[in-house]
Amino acid sequence: GIQVEQSPPDLILQEGANSTLRCNFSDSVNNLQWFHQNPWGQLINLFYIPSGTKQNGRLSATTVATERYSLLYISSSQTTDSGVYFCAVSPPDNQGGKLIFGQGTELSVKP
Amino acid sequence: ETGVTQSPTHLIKTRGQQVTLRCSSQSGHNTVSWYQQALGQGPQFIFQYYREEENGRGNFPPRFSGLQFPNYSSELNVNALELDDSALYLCASSFSQMELFFGEGSRLTVL
């Protein structure tokens, strides 16, 4: 089945720094989403981005489907950005809307 | 617009017992899927329901079962609980298997 790899696994930043998180996937996909998991466990939607570029405030994302990767940019990081960031994709046959998650990037932003 | 809600938020069971977790979809959504997230891991797809029928299943045994009701709410049932079933159970809803939105999860501990 399709494999999703995220890097780096852990990241520590000072408040105000910028960062780039990467998601590689092993096959074509027809859905790609980025999530932020807060300390209480809820997955917060950041981007639905099977291709192209989107921006939302300090966050932006780019997916290059032909090269099978996606990037999440966080600018001017804040302590509230801390948590785990997940990339998730749907396989080409979209088996019942199944999302396959990467292992996540754990981000810690220090004041 | 009401988001995805799950209940209960926390529960403790003993090995061999049965558990039912509940999920209310976001308004306007017709598809519900369930995920299991073990500590330190990404969520794993259990199954999805569309039009009250199971429409896609991950690598979980038959003792994991579910229902979807006419109002698109859903239940996840787990029989004969095992210690390894301890996890965060996440429900997600979507419209026609597009962008998924997750609830806050139900944290199950099996003793």
Side-chain angles (χ1 to χ4, degrees):
Chain A
I2 193 166
Q3 304 295 315
V4 181
E5 294 184 359
Q6 292 186 241
S7 60
D10 303 282
L11 185 59
I12 300 174
L13 299 175
Q14 285 297 127
E15 200 168 25
N18 303 328
S19 62
T20 301
L21 282 57
R22 187 176 180 100
C23 172
N24 292 331
F25 41 96
S26 60
D27 201 349
S28 305
V29 299
N30 61 10
N31 179 6
L32 189 146
Q33 292 185 237
W34 282 97
F35 297 93
H36 175 212
Q37 189 162 41
N38 66 24
W40 298 271
Q42 186 171 12
L43 288 169
I44 307 298
N45 288 46
L46 297 177
F47 294 102
Y48 171 73
I49 187 167
S51 64
T53 297
K54 290 186 177 180
Q55 181 158 5
N56 184 5
R58 295 182 297 104
L59 303 182
S60 63
T62 295
T63 297
V64 184
T66 53
E67 297 187 19
R68 299 179 184 170
Y69 73 89
S70 183
L71 302 174
L72 176 69
Y73 305 95
I74 304 174
S75 64
S76 304
S77 59
Q78 301 175 358
T79 56
T80 52
D81 295 332
S82 296
V84 183
Y85 289 80
F86 286 104
C87 165
V89 303
S90 284
D93 58 359
N94 195 17
Q95 300 170 19
K98 172 182 180 179
L99 275 180
I100 299 169
F101 283 75
Q103 289 295 93
T105 292
E106 184 161 9
L107 174 65
S108 178
V109 181
K110 304 296 186 185
Chain B
E1 184 176 273
T2 306
V4 180
T5 59
Q6 294 186 239
S7 63
T9 55
H10 295 80
L11 68 167
I12 300 173
K13 293 285 188 179
T14 56
R15 196 169 43 181
Q17 285 188 312
Q18 179 265 345
V19 67
T20 298
L21 307 178
R22 296 177 174 83
C23 173
S24 293
S25 304
Q26 184 166 315
S27 71
H29 288 180
N30 57 9
T31 304
V32 175
S33 51
W34 287 90
Y35 290 77
Q36 181 195 64
Q37 186 178 19
L39 200 61
Q41 305 292 318
Q44 300 288 317
F45 175 72
I46 302 175
F47 44 56
Q48 176 174 282
Y49 279 81
Y50 175 66
R51 291 186 176 180
E52 301 177 49
E53 292 192 359
E54 187 178 292
N55 176 27
R57 188 177 183 95
N59 188 26
F60 281 82
R63 60 190 185 84
F64 285 78
S65 64
L67 288 171
Q68 185 183 32
F69 300 100
N71 65 355
Y72 304 120
S73 64
S74 177
E75 287 182 356
L76 165 65
N77 299 290
V78 187
N79 294 322
L81 284 167
E82 302 177 358
L83 297 180
D84 285 349
D85 295 333
S86 294
L88 179 66
Y89 288 86
L90 295 161
C91 171
S93 73
S94 64
F95 178 73
S96 295
Q97 305 174 19
M98 300 295 284
E99 185 176 7
L100 270 66
F101 292 85
F102 283 82
E104 294 183 357
S106 294
R107 193 170 298 276
L108 171 65
T109 301
V110 182
L111 302 176

